[in-house]
Amino acid sequence: GESVGLHLPTLSVQEGDNSIINCAYSNSASDYFIWYKQESGKGPQFIIDIRSNMDKRQGQRVTVLLNKTVKHLSLQIAATQPGDSAVYFCAENISGNQFYFGTGTSLTVIP
Amino acid sequence: NAGVMQNPRHLVRRRGQEARLRCSPMKGHSHVYWYRQLPEEGLKFMVYLQKENIIDESGMPKERFSAEFPKEGPSILRIQQVVRGDSAAYFCASSLSTRTNTDTQYFGPGTRLTVL
């Protein structure tokens, strides 16, 4: 089965609210993680990444948190906008260049 | 600065035909990856190639599927004798190097294969 999974398959938030998307991983040896955003009919788009020697990383309106103790990753989106509606995947890299992707969380922003 | 290019964007084949999917990596990138995505599912790794070499094909079916990344030209994912179960979106990604062993992969728009 998948080594990477998401707690919630769907998430609906009001425009302007903050969104939190969660991801659990099972391999403690994973040392690099990426969040991707995929809009309908398009390829995954890189959002933000984090290495295992960090527990937090911030980008523009997004923050990724890594809790290695419980093998949990989250993506926080501040002031969610309609354009944020998409499926969000976390990807886990164990070694080499192979990434394992979760099934994704569908985020819907309600205007 | 063009991103990863894939063509065709949509491909329709009848059972038993061959499908050829093309991927041109980002400029300067020499590492290419192919993934398959079924509706409402995540991306499944298929194969990782560098120029003229297959590095990891552990996710690719042993039969009917093959991939190449020649010295010149795009990477090709080839599916022979397609079956309905091959219908999916196929995404290509590229990365700059593996110096750090974990270089970010950038994805193309995908090819949506439909097998009738």
Side-chain angles (χ1 to χ4, degrees):
Chain A
E2 289 289 323
S3 65
V4 178
L6 297 173
H7 293 303
L8 295 173
T10 61
L11 178 65
S12 296
V13 298
Q14 287 291 140
E15 181 178 357
D17 287 352
N18 297 334
S19 302
I20 300 176
I21 301 171
N22 297 304
C23 180
Y25 64 95
S26 57
N27 195 319
S28 58
S30 298
D31 60 2
Y32 180 53
F33 305 86
I34 302 177
W35 279 101
Y36 286 94
K37 171 187 179 182
Q38 187 176 25
E39 295 175 274
S40 180
K42 296 183 179 180
Q45 177 187 358
F46 172 89
I47 300 175
I48 192 168
D49 60 357
I50 189 168
R51 298 191 185 275
S52 59
N53 60 352
M54 303 171 69
D55 54 20
K56 181 179 180 180
R57 191 162 188 221
Q58 288 185 292
Q60 187 178 14
R61 284 202 305 119
V62 295
T63 301
V64 55
L65 299 176
L66 175 61
N67 185 331
K68 294 181 286 294
T69 302
V70 296
K71 295 196 283 285
H72 183 267
L73 193 70
S74 69
L75 176 70
Q76 300 178 2
I77 305 173
T80 314
Q81 302 168 0
D84 294 328
S85 293
V87 176
Y88 290 81
F89 295 96
C90 65
E92 167 189 14
N93 176 264
I94 300 173
S95 64
N97 281 64
Q98 186 172 146
F99 283 82
Y100 294 95
F101 286 77
T103 53
T105 289
S106 177
L107 174 65
T108 300
V109 181
I110 304 167
Chain B
N1 186 16
V4 179
M5 310 287 284
Q6 288 188 251
N7 69 81
R9 294 294 308 276
H10 300 273
L11 182 61
V12 179
R13 285 288 179 265
R14 296 190 180 278
R15 281 179 297 171
Q17 292 184 319
E18 179 180 285
R20 278 180 179 249
L21 289 63
R22 295 174 186 78
C23 169
S24 296
M26 286 180 69
K27 187 176 181 180
H29 286 193
S30 58
H31 302 267
V32 166
Y33 317 81
W34 285 95
Y35 294 82
R36 178 162 64 177
Q37 185 179 37
L38 295 172
E40 299 190 3
E41 291 191 10
L43 294 151
K44 297 288 196 284
F45 169 81
M46 298 181 73
V47 61
Y48 160 42
L49 310 101
Q50 294 179 26
K51 284 287 187 181
E52 300 184 276
N53 289 302
I54 295 175
I55 306 302
D56 182 350
E57 56 181 348
S58 59
M60 197 157 67
K62 295 289 186 288
E63 297 180 351
R64 302 190 298 108
F65 285 72
S66 62
E68 63 177 12
F69 189 16
K71 187 176 180 181
E72 300 291 337
S75 174
I76 306 287
L77 178 67
R78 181 184 178 200
I79 311 173
Q80 296 177 288
Q81 299 174 339
V82 295
V83 300
R84 289 208 173 120
D86 297 332
S87 295
Y90 291 84
F91 290 97
C92 168
S94 72
S95 68
L96 180 61
S97 73
T98 58
R99 183 178 58 82
T100 61
N101 210 36
T102 53
D103 210 39
T104 302
Q105 296 179 18
Y106 295 91
F107 283 81
T111 293
R112 278 146 188 85
L113 172 65
T114 301
V115 179
L116 302 177

